[in-house]
Amino acid sequence: MKDELVIEGAYAKQYTDWMVKTGGYARDMTMRDWYMGTVVQGLLTAEIVGDYSNEHVVEIARVITDAMLKERNK
């Protein structure tokens, strides 16, 4: 027998709408969150980043992410 997820009540419609819309991924993730995550991943693979604090890496990622979103919105 196949495993099935059973959800009841008012939450069921919200859950179903979310699953249809997103395929089940990133329920509360914004585009900015996604961009920031990918930028951080890229930065962490760069050898030079080892010389920076976590806070500095996050600040660099913020600047890059903001620039990406600004360019996207043109």
Side-chain angles (χ1 to χ4, degrees):
M1 185 165 119
K2 191 175 188 180
D3 290 335
E4 293 183 23
L5 179 62
V6 178
I7 299 174
E8 299 177 12
Y11 181 73
K13 181 175 180 349
Q14 292 175 345
Y15 181 82
T16 302
D17 291 348
W18 164 67
M19 285 292 289
V20 169
K21 183 178 178 184
T22 67
Y25 297 102
R27 180 174 182 185
D28 297 320
M29 183 181 282
T30 65
M31 184 167 291
R32 187 173 201 284
D33 294 333
W34 187 82
Y35 278 171
M36 185 79 133
T38 58
V39 169
V40 168
Q41 286 177 341
L43 289 171
L44 292 177
T45 62
E47 292 179 20
I48 193 168
V49 171
D51 297 335
Y52 295 108
S53 68
N54 289 343
E55 291 79 15
H56 195 164
V57 171
V58 169
E59 184 56 34
I60 294 168
R62 275 192 199 119
V63 170
I64 294 170
T65 299
D66 289 344
M68 290 171 67
L69 289 170
K70 183 178 179 181
E71 189 65 29
R72 184 180 189 278
N73 289 328
K74 283 185 178 180

